[in-house]
Amino acid sequence: MLWGVGLAAPRSCVADLSRNRSLSLGWCAGPEEPPPALYGGEIVAFPLAGGGAGGTMAALSPDSWWKKTLYLTGGALLAAAAYVLHELLAIRKEEELDSKDAIILHQFSRPTNGVPSLSPFCLKMETYLRMADLPYQNYFDGKLSPQGKMPWIEYNHKKVSGTEFIIDFLEEKLGVNLNKHLGPHERAVSRAVTKMVEEHLYWTLAYCQWVENLHETRKMVSLFGPFSDLLKWIFCHLTKGIVKREMYGHGIGRFSEDEMYTLMEKDMRTLAGLLGDKKYIMGPTVSTVDATVFGHLAQAMWTLPGTRPERLIKGELINLAMYCERIRRKFWPEWHHDDDNTLYESEESSEASKTYSPLQDFSFYSRTGTFDEEGNSISQTPDTDYTGHSLFDSDVDLDDYRDHEQCK
């Protein structure tokens, strides 16, 4: 009987590494988030169907001994590769986490381009915690929740997944509510916008990120080690297949690329029209929907260079770009570009100086306890960011911003 060798992961997943074919991997992924991280499991052996006279080896003619040798050698090499992958991707021994009166946020590792997350849902959740001024601790273990979702939280040893359920849980347990200033009609509009962004716009951005612009996304993925380039290539192409398959199941993936981008443009124009010249989506005060919209639009702003979403948000729909900049400056003081002054001040910076500063992985974060370089507490008001710059649209020269973008 012939045997195969594979890598079995804790979730319904077996990677067949013993055949002289391309690596195949299958799992059950939830809608939030489709691209799971690759983590190890166990090396397993399994019988191959047709292992007798009708098997693959028997199909080779007696005189093709060199083919048999090549097949066996390839199988041995792939089995060795399975062992190497098992060692490289083995899950770290789970640490004991004390979540008593502490919010522990599980999410994917930071990307390499200075953006907090390539996942709009992870960025949404972390931004919400900052908007609500809730201290939290990041845990970049990549481990999915029991429901197979990312992000998820632990609080007082209670595990909650799904960003909507997490927010409901925190509102109930901690008494926070970013929507208390909204009336019934505004709450209804807010939820409708949230669902449009998460159930429709999300998929077109995911297509752009993991299918059309995959070569750029691969540069941002954070994987390290002696075979990091190979692992990034495998991870990104597996994620590409997952995204395409789930988009097809959703229905939006059955349209042509041009048709999908037409739908994406309609969604973004809807957001731009709803925002208008307001400071936030629902008015002068931040609300939960802003965390959702920012988490998704930030992908178009900073993770999709040269694509249609980026050209649209930084061109015709400039109010969305200013909206993203406003939230980034107010709630992410450590996330900044070296050419920020080009957008808000008259000083000019050269093209060569435009670089991204890596975002630090704070194990614990609280806006209330933010300090400047000299150790003084930073006083923030609703109308200023951590530098003291005003964040109203009237302080932004949109013509200068357009000129800056055209020079890129």
Side-chain angles (χ1 to χ4, degrees), residues 177-324:
N177 190 348
L178 295 181
N179 297 330
K180 60 184 178 181
H181 62 285
L182 302 180
H185 175 74
E186 292 173 313
R187 289 173 185 258
V189 172
S190 176
R191 178 166 176 79
V193 172
T194 297
K195 293 300 109 180
M196 179 193 73
V197 171
E198 293 186 344
E199 305 295 340
H200 199 260
L201 177 62
Y202 164 75
W203 290 109
T204 55
L205 293 176
Y207 175 85
C208 188
Q209 190 174 46
W210 294 102
V211 180
E212 184 194 17
N213 208 44
L214 185 64
H215 61 288
E216 292 292 338
T217 302
R218 188 171 65 192
K219 300 175 184 177
M220 306 175 196
V221 173
S222 179
L223 284 175
F224 304 98
F227 300 101
S228 59
D229 290 339
L230 174 62
L231 294 179
K232 286 181 182 180
W233 188 92
I234 294 175
F235 170 76
C236 289
H237 281 77
L238 289 175
T239 302
K240 173 183 177 179
I242 294 171
V243 170
K244 293 180 69 175
R245 184 172 67 248
E246 294 200 351
M247 288 184 67
Y248 189 86
H250 175 277
I252 197 170
R254 305 182 186 219
F255 298 111
S256 68
E257 182 175 290
D258 287 339
E259 289 172 327
M260 282 190 288
Y261 279 124
T262 297
L263 296 175
M264 176 211 70
E265 184 174 335
K266 288 183 177 181
D267 289 343
M268 292 183 66
R269 289 186 183 280
T270 298
L271 290 174
L274 181 62
L275 177 64
D277 59 358
K278 299 193 300 292
K279 189 175 181 181
Y280 299 112
I281 294 294
M282 302 307 299
T285 306
V286 70
S287 58
T288 302
V289 68
D290 291 298
T292 302
V293 175
F294 174 75
H296 288 73
L297 291 183
Q299 307 303 318
M301 276 285 292
W302 294 292
T303 73
L304 299 174
T307 61
R308 298 188 203 182
E310 187 201 48
R311 292 195 299 269
L312 190 61
I313 195 173
K314 293 182 178 180
E316 187 176 350
L317 307 181
I318 195 67
N319 65 331
L320 293 182
M322 294 296 96
Y323 168 80
C324 289

